[in-house]
Amino acid sequence: MSVKCINCPLRKSDLFHKMSSETLEFMQRFKVGEMEVEPGTPLLSEGSNAPQLYTALSGMGLRYKLLENGSRQVISFVFPGDFLGLQAGVMKEMTHSVEATTAMKLCVFDRKELWSLFRTIPDRGFDLAWLAATEERFLGEALTSVGQKSALERMSWALARIFRRLKATTPAAGDLVRLPYRQQDLADALGLSLVHTNKTLAKLRERQLATWSDGKLSVPNLARLEELALIENPELPTRPLM
Amino acid sequence: MSVKCINCPLRKSDLFHKMSSETLEFMQRFKVGEMEVEPGTPLLSEGSNAPQLYTALSGMGLRYKLLENGSRQVISFVFPGDFLGLQAGVMKEMTHSVEATTAMKLCVFDRKELWSLFRTIPDRGFDLAWLAATEERFLGEALTSVGQKSALERMSWALARIFRRLKATTPAAGDLVRLPYRQQDLADALGLSLVHTNKTLAKLRERQLATWSDGKLSVPNLARLEELALIENPELPTRPLM
DNA sequence: CTCTTCCTATGTCCTAGTTTAATGCCTGCT
DNA sequence: AGCAGGCATTAAACTAGGACATAGGAAGAG
């Protein structure tokens, strides 16, 4: 049975600051359905122009870009609540690919119909702007981390960001969260080699700042980790009421 | 005398794909005025929440983030036609700073009033989405360059991108464009040291792919430069008519 | 149970890129 | 003219991080 947008726990979370019921009812109308995918399923691919947009309901994935030389840049990690495929709806094509790393449940919207939402409820242009600003903020931070920080600082940054984000959408868990990524994924996200990623994780472990093992991340002292990561503004951005 | 939006050559350029006169007339109403600034003037700063938004009419600048350890990441270069300060309008505060590197002429809009534009002309949510997607595309590409490419590839990438962008808004110039940046700015954009930036520029010069000197960039063979830069999609995104 | 495959772990060596520092070249100031 | 400050350039010494090699554990296949 399909979840109604108005009841969707994701959109009620602090992160999205309780979207107006007006918007939620409207989204409901254009919801095409739900979709479950296996781990490893490609959801969107660079250069494509899929007619559908998704929001992640559960499970995780990653966004990445491939280069001709074979290397891969992981752009960001995908968590429940994330919106996928907006690019394809606006530009001719996606500029990165998205892939599930666990089984995922997705909410599917028809792109063309969704545009009419933004036409019909003008205020919703604000939701779009917020989404954009959030994305820009994150990418700017990632760029700064990869461009200016040491391996240890970068790794701390990534783990701290992932940890906070997961705790915001996954209610349970103490200082331990489940993380369906390989060290290679982390390496590709941070611009490090797999080997060096491993060594850096070892360093964090022996300093007791973060432990990554068996698809589980444990952060006993988030504040210290964020300090090491040179994170100036640790709180996640939440959508204001405008 | 203040330029009317409807006559603004920037918004008529291919890059922005001739915005509708409807939008332009509307923007005109909320234009507060124009502003000229000296080289070196800070326009927006990280953490601030200025009540005004700008579009660059002429001149250039750069967006950057500072870290506690003193290093600086240049996020992007600002050229005529760019929109500045959207973040502050949506989130509580700017996550990067913007500074003029030449004398600049700016068009000033009141943030609150501009929002009402998006409320009143619903379709304009699309402009916003396009702006966002363009930004996301660029930042993703920058991240991929800094994360995965060699110094020579990164430098080629930056110069090729800058060159194309400038030729799109600056009508004149053959294979030569004016570039008011220091090598340190390039270094901070690409995550390289100043010295290595200089060496890399020398390499490009001796290969006759690009010459940077005295605030002028010359690219005799853009296609070869873009090939070296591993750029898969050289054309700049232009706003579709939706 | 063994073979295989995928991932994590660690050590050694080496290169791309950093740091520091010295030199020279403009441009503006007095 | 003479000096000062900002920027480009080059060289030399150093180091963070990469490449390669190798090994170990977990999980599935037969």
Side-chain angles (χ1 to χ4, degrees):
Chain A
M1 186 44 212
S2 180
V3 179
K4 289 212 183 302
C5 292
I6 193 87
N7 297 324
C8 179
L10 283 172
R11 299 296 165 190
K12 284 179 184 169
S13 77
D14 249 18
L15 211 53
F16 301 101
H17 213 294
K18 307 176 200 38
M19 277 196 177
S20 76
S21 56
E22 191 188 15
T23 304
L24 289 168
E25 301 243 16
F26 229 97
M27 291 188 73
Q28 179 64 42
R29 283 222 256 152
F30 298 127
K31 179 167 167 180
V32 173
E34 287 174 21
M35 187 173 144
E36 298 198 30
V37 301
E38 296 295 296
T41 309
L43 298 175
L44 294 161
S45 62
E46 194 171 344
S48 75
N49 188 358
Q52 298 181 325
L53 304 174
Y54 309 99
T55 47
L57 291 177
S58 69
M60 304 176 199
L62 39 86
R63 302 178 211 245
Y64 63 91
K65 274 171 85 71
L66 292 176
L67 266 70
E68 297 141 18
N69 66 24
S71 62
R72 176 184 69 153
Q73 175 71 41
V74 168
I75 306 284
S76 68
F77 300 94
V78 174
F79 300 122
D82 283 349
F83 197 59
L84 306 173
L86 188 58
Q87 264 190 358
V90 180
M91 317 192 76
K92 291 127 291 190
E93 47 186 43
M94 291 292 290
T95 62
H96 62 253
S97 306
V98 184
E99 177 177 314
T101 58
T102 61
M104 288 187 79
K105 199 186 288 183
L106 300 158
C107 199
V108 185
F109 298 91
D110 185 82
R111 188 215 310 165
K112 288 217 182 69
E113 298 296 337
L114 200 64
W115 280 126
S116 73
L117 178 151
F118 290 108
R119 271 185 239 177
T120 319
I121 308 190
D123 268 9
R124 288 318 108 200
F126 186 83
D127 288 333
L128 210 51
W130 183 74
L131 221 57
T134 305
E135 193 73 14
E136 185 185 342
R137 174 192 160 135
F138 177 82
L139 285 176
E141 220 182 283
L143 181 59
T144 304
S145 295
V146 173
Q148 308 296 331
K149 294 178 188 171
S150 74
L152 197 65
E153 290 163 345
R154 272 183 254 184
M155 183 61 74
S156 307
W157 173 77
L159 296 185
R161 282 310 194 200
I162 290 175
F163 188 73
R164 266 199 194 260
R165 181 63 166 78
L166 272 180
K167 294 204 52 167
T169 39
T170 319
D175 62 355
L176 195 80
V177 296
R178 198 173 135 41
L179 258 201
Y181 303 107
R182 290 165 305 155
Q183 296 192 358
Q184 184 67 58
D185 297 327
L186 268 183
D188 289 347
L190 298 177
L192 296 175
S193 72
L194 173 59
V195 176
H196 201 220
T197 296
N198 188 287
K199 285 175 184 168
T200 307
L201 282 172
K203 245 178 234 169
L204 282 178
R205 193 185 321 127
E206 78 197 18
R207 291 201 197 182
Q208 310 202 359
L209 289 174
T211 314
W212 171 292
S213 86
D214 197 30
K216 284 182 185 64
L217 169 66
S218 148
V219 178
N221 190 337
L222 183 56
R224 276 218 298 151
L225 190 65
E226 283 169 338
E227 189 181 0
L228 175 55
L230 301 175
I231 295 180
E232 63 299 330
N233 201 351
E235 319 82 55
L236 294 173
T238 58
R239 185 185 155 286
L241 284 170
M242 111 165 253
Chain B
M1 187 46 215
S2 179
V3 178
K4 288 213 182 306
C5 292
I6 193 86
N7 297 324
C8 179
L10 284 171
R11 297 294 164 191
K12 283 179 182 169
S13 78
D14 249 19
L15 210 55
F16 301 101
H17 213 295
K18 306 173 200 44
M19 277 195 176
S20 75
S21 55
E22 192 189 13
T23 304
L24 289 169
E25 302 241 16
F26 228 98
M27 291 188 73
Q28 179 63 44
R29 284 221 256 150
F30 297 130
K31 180 168 166 180
V32 172
E34 287 174 22
M35 185 174 147
E36 298 198 31
V37 300
E38 297 294 298
T41 311
L43 298 174
L44 294 160
S45 62
E46 194 170 344
S48 75
N49 188 359
Q52 297 180 323
L53 304 173
Y54 309 99
T55 47
L57 291 177
S58 69
M60 304 175 198
L62 37 85
R63 301 177 212 245
Y64 63 89
K65 274 171 82 75
L66 292 176
L67 266 70
E68 297 142 19
N69 66 23
S71 63
R72 175 184 72 152
Q73 176 70 40
V74 168
I75 306 285
S76 69
F77 300 93
V78 174
F79 300 123
D82 282 349
F83 197 60
L84 307 173
L86 187 58
Q87 265 190 358
V90 180
M91 314 193 76
K92 291 127 289 187
E93 46 185 46
M94 291 292 290
T95 62
H96 62 253
S97 306
V98 184
E99 176 176 314
T101 59
T102 62
M104 289 187 79
K105 199 186 287 182
L106 300 158
C107 199
V108 187
F109 298 91
D110 186 83
R111 187 214 311 166
K112 289 217 180 71
E113 296 298 335
L114 200 64
W115 279 126
S116 73
L117 179 153
F118 290 106
R119 271 186 240 178
T120 318
I121 308 190
D123 267 9
R124 290 316 108 198
F126 186 82
D127 289 333
L128 209 54
W130 183 75
L131 222 57
T134 306
E135 193 73 15
E136 184 184 344
R137 174 194 160 133
F138 176 82
L139 285 177
E141 221 182 283
L143 181 59
T144 304
S145 297
V146 173
Q148 308 296 330
K149 294 177 188 171
S150 73
L152 197 64
E153 290 163 344
R154 269 182 256 184
M155 184 62 73
S156 308
W157 172 78
L159 295 185
R161 281 310 194 201
I162 289 175
F163 188 73
R164 268 201 192 258
R165 181 63 165 77
L166 273 181
K167 294 204 50 166
T169 39
T170 320
D175 62 353
L176 194 80
V177 296
R178 198 174 135 42
L179 257 200
Y181 303 108
R182 292 165 305 156
Q183 296 192 358
Q184 183 67 59
D185 297 327
L186 269 183
D188 289 347
L190 297 176
L192 296 174
S193 72
L194 172 58
V195 175
H196 202 223
T197 295
N198 187 288
K199 284 179 190 164
T200 307
L201 282 172
K203 246 179 232 168
L204 282 178
R205 194 184 318 129
E206 78 196 19
R207 292 200 196 185
Q208 311 200 0
L209 289 174
T211 313
W212 170 292
S213 85
D214 196 30
K216 284 183 186 62
L217 169 66
S218 150
V219 178
N221 190 336
L222 183 57
R224 278 218 297 150
L225 189 66
E226 283 169 340
E227 190 182 356
L228 176 55
L230 301 176
I231 294 180
E232 62 300 328
N233 202 352
E235 320 83 55
L236 293 174
T238 59
R239 186 186 153 283
L241 284 168
M242 108 163 254

